[in-house]
Amino acid sequence: MRPIIFSKMDFSHSNLFGYIEDLQELTIIERPVRRSLKTPEEIERLTVDEELSDIERAVFLLSSGQDIQGTSVVANLPVLMRQNPAETLRRVLPKIREVLHVAGVEMQLTAAVSFLTVLQEESVSIHTYSHSFLHIILQNVEHRDAGVSNAWLETLLAVIEALPKETVRHEILNPLVSKAQLSQTLQSRLVSCKIMGKVANKFEAHIVKREVLPLVKSLCQDVEYEVRTCMCRQLEHVARGIGTELTKTVVLPELVELARDEGSSVRLAAFETLVNLLDMFDADDRSQTVLPLVKSFCEKSFKADESILVSLSFHLGKLCNGLYGIFTPEQHLRFLEFYKKLSTLGLQQENGHNDNQLHLQTLEQEKKYISVRKNCAYNFPAMIVFVDPKNFNLELYSIFFCLCHDPEVPVRYTMAISFFEVAKLLNSDVYTIHKELVTLLQDESLEVLDALVGHLPEILELMTNGGENSGSESKLLSIPDLIPALTTAEQRAATSLKWRTHEKLLQKYACLPHIISSDQIYYRFLHRMLTIILTNNVLPVQKAAARTLCVYLRYNRKQEQRHEVIQKLIEQLGQGKSYWNRLRFLDTCEFIMELFSKSFFCKYFFLPVLELTHDPVANVRMKLCCLLPKVKSTLKIPTDKHLLQQLELCIRKLLCQEKDKDVLTIVKRTVLELDRMEISVDAFQKRFYENDLLDQEKETQEQLLLEMEQLEKEKQKNEGRSTNINDKMLEKKRRDSKTSSVLAKSINLSVSGSSSGTSVGKEEKKSKLVRSQSFSTQVLHPKYTNIDKCPNKSSATAYTSSVSGMGKSCMLSFSDDSFRTHSSGNSGNAAFTSSSSRNLFNSADQKNSGNKESQSRKMSIIQLVPEWEGGMGQSEEKTENQTPRSSDRKMREPETGGSNVLVR
């Protein structure tokens, strides 16, 4: 035994009495426990012989048992009816009828529910049911307890729908005439009102007119306002049963009179019934009768009759759309302004004063105003239809803003629920409410977030792809605000204790690949999902994050990122130190098998899964064994034959080496299941056709992602190259302009003749050298610098030239004498090239071969020819101090034949 350690206690006079009082309280608590113990006599009386049948035991308990035992028998009545209906009706039901006369409230409520269950299960025919159960229901429907009476009344109304007409007429309708008289009790008359509404839909119009309508009129004129209110609410059902004509002549006048009743609850019931029956009134009735009543209700709601304000705000949307066809423009504007006033009721206005600041608002008024604004939020989609979605910005956006920023949570909660309906109605203008979506996502109340998340995928899809008229600019502008709002919402849900909201949010975030780009998901959401799997303590949240992560991985468009995520899953989950992480790895593998193709799973996850057969924790091995049939279903023969061998080897090791009894039991069961499985082959099989077709579609989509990634890389490469070409073209033009200015100066100096012959020759050489250098700004490959060292041959070297200014190709033959053109289409340019080249070579022959100036001029010739040959477009592709591409150095045969070789 552990020693008892007493903490320091204060045994002073005052504290000692405190301890004594605590001990006395403990003794008081224990006393009822001692008194509740049964005496041997009571135990003997409550003991039932175990050999009794169910029917005999029920009869015994109803006869001599206590109330709780009788209640248990009544609750078990549907079971007895299913097992032995004849004996139950003969022996048990009469006993129940006797007990119900003196039974308490609990047994009465239980009996009402059991009788209704027997009816719904159809344990006996409806004729037998009406003969055996109906009289018991009618006897108890007027019970003195209101709760019991309502319970039996609900059962009776359900029975009326199933009973034949004749039975209803004789057993219910005929006694109803006397029950509805003024001389009967209030409870009896209230029951009669509700039965009237149900019976009116059971018979033809002429029977209702003859037998039901007189009672309806009588109850509408009852002296008790509760009866008038109850009957007024049943007038809708009566009107549906008698048709449009009788409704116009009988029901409508009664409603008009009840709408002017002295009782506020009666007026409220009349107003709601009028709104619900709008579709049964023609245009004349609406304009001449209904509209004046509605206008008077609206006028009195703020002045004398605030009791109707909540109901009016709740039905205003239905009312406005029901009377839309008869509104004048002035009335249309008036009802719209009335809705705007209700939407801000109780809130501070722009001037900082409250509407009802003159009199002190009570707590009940505040609750009423919150209910009114909540109802306005509920009716907001209907009001968009009323004003036309095209006029949303002008008429309703300010109200929408106020309701989304309302200080009360119930109002914002209702707006979050109806946000999807609003977005659907706005269609192409949905981008206008993007800020409010961000506001609700960042709301301080998680109830609001939970309400919004229900339709979040549909809302986000409408936000990014809403309508044909929503330009791409608005969509792009919405994304930067949307992503931080989504991340903030997830973090707030993660830090709260409401894990169901967090789970729901993570499940809905699986839609993001269809909304935003792959890179945005990778950097803002994917790693967050992995963190949740590793750190969160709630299993449903972890599984939701794992599945969403697999969806992100499925639609990721960069192979490098996919490989990184796969590597982290294997290292941090599959090979993690915590067994909990290794279990989540197996859950993730299940999602991988669901979302990806078989080949993808076999390529990346098959072997890491099999490695867990050696896991030191039995729970991991147990979960792995349960997963092995799914793992085997991903194999295809003969492609995955080596993986099948690995799987069989692991199973043998488990059978031979497993020491845990529970794991070994599951292993043996799994082996039997694996033996019964058939492995699919590479070719399509008839029995696996649908699965193979689905897997092929997944594999095709995965291959398509790889091809799209390759195309994007090539596109980016080409775009970068074209950008470089444009920059180089601008640089080339700048250099050409400088060269032309230098040439002009050189020509002027050479023509003037003021200098000596030697100086003229030098200036000419300098000008030619500058001109040759202007055509090439690159250093040639060493291969081309040795051209001047080659011996002269009869067959000269030819260069292809593409002159950009003329747009035609020409071929120049390089010989000891001159350049000769091989193309007659550009003779002028060829002549210029020939003469300039000849002058350069003549100047070169006048000097000694060891002269440095001669060597530099030869170098200029070699630079000139490829540059001239390549044309303006080709020279622009090269940068300064860059060697030519390998493709430029390839040699091919000329198109015109001969032994000349062309150099590109």
Side-chain angles (χ1 to χ4, degrees), residues 25-63:
E25 290 179 359
L26 290 175
T27 57
I28 292 172
I29 294 174
E30 290 180 356
R31 283 173 188 170
V33 177
R34 295 195 185 106
R35 289 178 180 177
S36 64
L37 296 176
K38 302 298 181 184
T39 61
E41 293 78 8
E42 291 174 332
I43 295 175
E44 181 66 24
R45 186 157 48 92
L46 293 173
T47 303
V48 180
D49 188 2
E50 295 182 357
E51 296 182 356
L52 294 176
S53 65
D54 293 339
I55 301 295
E56 293 173 345
R57 184 184 299 109
V59 173
F60 174 77
L61 293 176
L62 289 171
S63 301

Side-chain angles (χ1 to χ4, degrees), residues 349-577:
Q349 303 300 314
E350 294 180 358
N351 56 10
H353 297 285
N354 201 291
D355 287 338
N356 299 316
Q357 196 172 8
L358 296 177
H359 63 279
L360 184 63
Q361 295 181 357
T362 63
L363 183 61
E364 291 298 324
Q365 283 178 323
E366 287 293 337
K367 291 181 179 180
K368 186 183 298 183
Y369 291 159
I370 293 172
S371 300
V372 168
R373 297 200 304 274
K374 178 182 176 182
N375 292 337
C376 289
Y378 168 78
N379 282 302
F380 194 84
M383 296 307 296
I384 293 179
V385 177
F386 180 64
V387 301
D388 195 336
K390 296 178 181 179
N391 301 323
F392 171 78
N393 285 335
L394 183 63
E395 300 290 349
L396 287 177
Y397 177 75
S398 59
I399 300 300
F400 184 74
F401 178 86
C402 292
L403 291 174
C404 289
H405 291 81
D406 195 276
E408 299 298 332
V409 173
V411 181
R412 302 197 305 274
Y413 175 83
T414 308
M415 285 304 299
I417 291 177
S418 61
F419 197 95
F420 175 54
E421 295 296 328
V422 174
K424 282 197 302 184
L425 290 171
L426 292 180
N427 195 11
S428 59
D429 295 329
V430 68
Y431 63 90
T432 59
I433 60 172
H434 167 259
K435 293 182 180 179
E436 284 66 38
L437 173 63
V438 173
T439 300
L440 293 177
L441 282 172
Q442 296 175 339
D443 195 277
E444 60 183 8
S445 172
L446 283 178
E447 295 178 5
V448 177
L449 179 61
D450 186 75
L452 187 66
V453 164
H455 290 286
L456 187 62
E458 295 87 351
I459 294 172
L460 293 179
E461 185 175 359
L462 287 171
M463 284 290 175
T464 53
N465 306 314
E468 299 176 355
N469 299 327
S470 60
S472 59
E473 183 179 356
S474 63
K475 297 175 192 176
L476 293 176
L477 289 175
S478 70
I479 295 299
D481 295 333
L482 191 60
I483 293 177
L486 292 172
T487 55
T488 303
E490 187 278 322
Q491 290 171 0
R492 289 193 65 256
T495 55
S496 70
L497 297 178
K498 296 183 179 181
W499 62 265
R500 288 182 177 85
T501 300
H502 193 200
E503 177 195 12
K504 186 178 178 181
L505 191 69
L506 294 176
Q507 291 172 349
K508 299 299 181 180
Y509 276 14
C511 72
L512 292 183
H514 305 290
I515 309 299
I516 59 180
S517 67
S518 175
D519 284 339
Q520 288 172 321
I521 291 175
Y522 177 77
Y523 290 110
R524 301 300 296 271
F525 295 97
L526 195 147
H527 292 287
R528 174 61 182 165
M529 297 299 145
L530 185 59
T531 303
I532 292 172
I533 299 172
L534 291 170
T535 59
N536 199 282
N537 296 324
V538 182
L539 180 58
V541 173
Q542 287 182 307
K543 287 188 174 182
R547 194 182 191 285
T548 303
L549 184 143
C550 293
V551 174
Y552 292 165
L553 184 64
R554 171 71 177 80
Y555 292 100
N556 190 281
R557 302 182 66 174
K558 291 187 178 181
Q559 190 172 5
E560 181 181 353
Q561 294 177 356
R562 288 196 296 272
H563 287 169
E564 179 187 349
V565 176
I566 292 170
Q567 190 67 23
K568 286 185 177 180
L569 287 174
I570 295 173
E571 291 179 356
Q572 299 182 21
L573 290 180
Q575 300 171 1
K577 294 182 180 180

